[in-house]
Amino acid sequence: GRPSPLAIEEDALRAAAAPLSNYNGSTDLDAPRLPRGWHVNRAETVIGHGRPAYERAANALQRLELLEHTWLTARCVRATDRELLAVCSRQWGCVWLTNTNLVLRRKCGARRSSVSWGTTRRHVLAGEETVCVTHDASTDGVRFTVLSFSRPRHLFSAVAYPYVLAQQRRFARDATAAMERACGNSQPAG
């Protein structure tokens, strides 16, 4: 069954010393550097309108509510000078797989809130991901963005990569719906 929050946190702590996966790039939205030859996943949509909607979405994003679904859960754990993000997902309907990431950046401002993480060597992929909400003062729109790049880190993930890419699309869809709910918008993502 679904692992307990404590089991996920313990798994993250066991991976605390794992180095960041090797990649040369960044999903930092201020200066993205997307590596050539890597799969890039970008999803972006308006999820609400108004300053209160932005504030609700920004708070939900910083709490990583977008990572809580029937098939996905996550826990952040502080280990010495590092913040780890353990993401546990149900695969093929029955197997729960935990992948450990290193939180690289957290930004929370008046018009933009984002969290970025990179994969560690305790992850099936190499790569980086940023999730972000922005409030556009000119349109009053609240936009949610998912930007990632990845590639398989070993043979198993290379064989399963088409499935992994489908899971990344599923995450973008479900995360967008969660952020719309956080904004108070009950309309489906578009």
Side-chain angles (χ1 to χ4, degrees), residues 45-61:
T45 192
V46 174
I47 57 171
H49 289 86
R51 181 85 188 150
Y54 167 74
E55 289 173 359
R56 287 189 300 271
N59 288 331
L61 184 120

Side-chain angles (χ1 to χ4, degrees), residues 22-28 32-35 38-42 104-105 117-119 125-130 147-151 161 168:
N22 292 325
Y23 60 87
N24 184 17
S26 171
T27 57
D28 186 342
R33 292 184 330 273
L34 304 175
W38 290 57
H39 176 76
V40 174
N41 180 41
R42 184 179 189 114
L104 302 172
R105 296 174 294 281
W117 56 84
T119 62
L125 300 177
E128 186 174 306
E129 185 158 28
T130 293
L147 176 63
S148 67
F149 61 82
S150 65
R151 71 175 179 194
Y161 202 52
Q168 287 180 336

Side-chain angles (χ1 to χ4, degrees), residues 37-108:
W38 290 57
H39 176 76
V40 174
N41 180 41
R42 184 179 189 114
E44 194 170 58
T45 192
V46 174
I47 57 171
H49 289 86
R51 181 85 188 150
Y54 167 74
E55 289 173 359
R56 287 189 300 271
N59 288 331
L61 184 120
Q62 291 299 320
R63 290 190 305 267
L64 297 173
E65 290 177 15
L66 69 159
L67 293 170
E68 294 300 326
H69 304 282
T70 57
W71 65 277
L72 182 74
T73 189
R75 293 291 174 269
C76 279
V77 177
R78 175 73 50 196
T80 315
D81 62 341
R82 306 172 79 171
E83 183 180 11
L84 301 169
L85 173 63
V87 178
C88 188
S89 61
R90 187 179 61 224
Q91 304 299 318
W92 300 285
C94 61
V95 177
W96 287 88
L97 176 67
T98 300
N99 287 294
T100 303
N101 303 279
L102 177 63
V103 176
L104 302 172
R105 296 174 294 281
R106 279 187 182 265
K107 298 178 182 179
C108 195

